[in-house]
Amino acid sequence: MALVTPAPLLRERTDARQPSRLARSAAAGQGVQLRTDEFAGWLAERGRASDFRVERIPFDQLDGWSFDERTGNLGHRSGRFFTVEGLHVTEEDDPYGDSPYADWQQPIIKQPEVGILGILVKEFDGIPHFLMQAKMEPGNPNLLQLSPTVQATRSNYTKAHRGADVKYIEYFTDPRRGRVVADVLQSEHGSWFYRKSNRNMIVEATGDVPLLDEFCWLTLGQINELLHRDNLVNMDARTVLSCLPYPDTGAGALLSDIELLSWFTGERARHDVRAVTVPLAGVPLWERGKDAIERPDGRYFRVIAVSVRAGNREVSGWTQPLFEPVSGGVTAFLTREFGGVTHVLVHARVEGGFLDTVELGPTVQYTPANYAHRAPRDRPLFLDTVLGARGDRIRYEAVHSEEGGRFHNAESRCLIVAADEAQAPQVPPPGYAWVTPAQLTSLVRHGHYVNVQGRTLLACLNAMTVTAR
């Protein structure tokens, strides 16, 4: 079990001008380059400008990728990028809580290198704009989505693939290029990555920035509106946006900052989890066929292979493995007001790939099809509350896909649902806590406290004041 020192007190000094500048950008419904109603046409034109193709292929058609004869692990001949290995997770019984003994094995992506997810900011006419990219990823349901300025693994920006330079990378690797607004290591999907982190950065440029093809300047208000649209703002953009230093409006929280940190540290301490990589060939209940590694019962996910053609990427063609869930997921925050202050119900989640055992996630983060066979008493807490929510209870709803560079058609219905005492009591079950969005924002300033699904919903919370059109 890995423990880390708690973060400092949540309330920190920030640039006094930053909240008002972010507020101006969030209030700006139109930008200097594009009107919001012109964005769909711009994105469609970017799609027509390049040749995008993704095809499923059998494993023996992977170029440069192969299964190790001894371990069965799937890796690249360069030793770079990532490997698909096995993971064995055990969690001991928790005598003070609600966690039973658990033991399972599964395929996992092992990618120890730290990538950069970065958004460049520049002020135009007194309003901060964000430089966003129309980026193709082979696993995206619609291929082309709005991504950060830079979205690159170390292998990418050091050109292990021998391709072109990553555009704008110098703003995030050379501190003289601008002023850092946010910079924090954040976890990736703990269910599919083994201890993977990316550097989430926001940098404000201090000089002129050339505008290249596939990029556009958008205000925060425009981005917030686009977050209401299905499969448009990609996962990497959402996690970086969650790191924005919004003003502290967290007065009136049910838990003080110290109480929240103490509760969270206690959650980490009470979960005794052991997660180790093992040979992929020996993982029980998973079978390797000619074009997929999957379970015979058809649950959870499968590992597949694809051939990719993308005319505007650093490399125009390649093959690679992808993880493909067998069904769509649901991620949701239940929300209530206490003393006139909005709170969301977070869950201290154990995922086998986390560096520090537990991170704060949404109230609900599940694939409903994996639990359809279970009796109601054996289904995850609050899942049926979210699935059965009436329309007048739903405060936010959109379908967002996960990271398209590693996951294929991995979509989740993202919801923020108003609850009452009967559905979500003020004194929640063990493993759950009511926190304010401001407290969650403060925790995101520190790595490995809020999981990637929680950060997506935090970005959506921040976008809720924008009416979808």
Side-chain angles (χ1 to χ4, degrees), residues 4-244:
V4 299
T5 302
L9 290 180
L10 302 184
R11 308 295 181 245
E12 295 182 339
R13 285 192 309 172
T14 58
D15 182 346
R17 300 181 307 129
Q18 201 64 260
S20 62
R21 297 176 72 233
L22 286 175
R24 289 200 303 272
S25 186
Q30 308 298 338
V32 296
Q33 180 186 351
L34 287 172
R35 293 179 52 85
T36 308
D37 58 11
E38 297 171 334
F39 177 81
W42 177 85
L43 188 66
E45 190 278 328
R46 297 320 312 162
R48 291 189 296 268
S50 296
D51 179 24
F52 299 133
R53 285 178 291 172
V54 179
E55 297 178 291
R56 291 274 298 266
I57 59 173
F59 289 128
D60 62 11
Q61 290 185 19
L62 283 168
D63 181 16
W65 295 84
S66 62
F67 291 96
D68 184 271
E69 293 183 1
R70 183 177 59 87
T71 64
N73 295 343
L74 179 56
H76 194 265
R77 64 188 170 207
S78 67
R80 304 291 296 272
F81 306 110
F82 62 94
T83 55
V84 180
E85 304 184 15
L87 184 71
H88 187 188
V89 183
T90 55
E91 181 178 3
E92 299 298 326
D93 290 300
D94 171 18
Y96 305 107
D98 62 338
S99 299
Y101 177 80
D103 186 318
W104 79 91
Q105 295 189 43
Q106 65 170 86
I108 198 82
I109 299 171
K110 186 175 181 181
Q111 186 176 355
E113 63 183 28
V114 174
I116 292 178
L117 308 177
I119 295 179
L120 198 60
V121 181
K122 185 170 175 57
E123 196 170 278
F124 296 97
D125 299 332
I127 297 174
H129 286 63
F130 297 72
L131 187 60
M132 309 298 288
Q133 178 183 182
K135 188 177 184 68
M136 179 272 190
E137 293 286 358
N140 288 343
N142 50 351
L143 293 184
L144 201 65
Q145 293 190 12
L146 198 63
S147 84
T149 317
V150 166
Q151 177 184 320
T153 65
R154 185 183 297 274
S155 293
N156 288 144
Y157 67 80
T158 59
K159 300 200 288 186
H161 48 41
R162 299 181 182 178
D165 291 332
V166 173
K167 297 169 183 176
Y168 298 106
I169 187 65
E170 64 273 13
Y171 289 92
F172 302 92
T173 57
D174 182 353
R176 298 169 298 179
R177 292 276 186 165
R179 186 177 64 85
V180 174
V181 177
D183 189 356
V184 60
L185 286 179
Q186 298 287 11
S187 63
E188 293 289 291
H189 294 74
S191 296
W192 290 336
F193 276 114
Y194 181 68
R195 300 184 176 180
K196 175 74 172 71
S197 299
N198 275 324
R199 191 176 179 185
N200 287 222
M201 302 182 69
I202 302 172
V203 173
E204 183 164 12
T206 55
D208 292 336
V209 178
L211 182 62
L212 305 178
D213 291 341
E214 285 85 50
F215 293 83
C216 65
W217 292 104
L218 298 174
T219 68
L220 189 54
Q222 290 178 294
I223 296 170
N224 284 344
E225 180 170 329
L226 297 176
L227 273 166
H228 286 80
R229 304 182 188 180
D230 292 350
N231 287 325
L232 181 52
V233 180
N234 81 353
M235 186 215 79
D236 298 296
R238 300 191 304 266
T239 181
V240 177
L241 290 167
S242 75
C243 299
L244 282 167

Side-chain angles (χ1 to χ4, degrees), residues 59 62 65 74 82 84 303-306 319-323 405-406:
F59 289 128
L62 283 168
W65 295 84
L74 179 56
F82 62 94
V84 180
V303 184
I304 64 170
V306 296
T319 64
Q320 69 169 92
L322 290 172
F323 275 34
R406 298 292 178 265

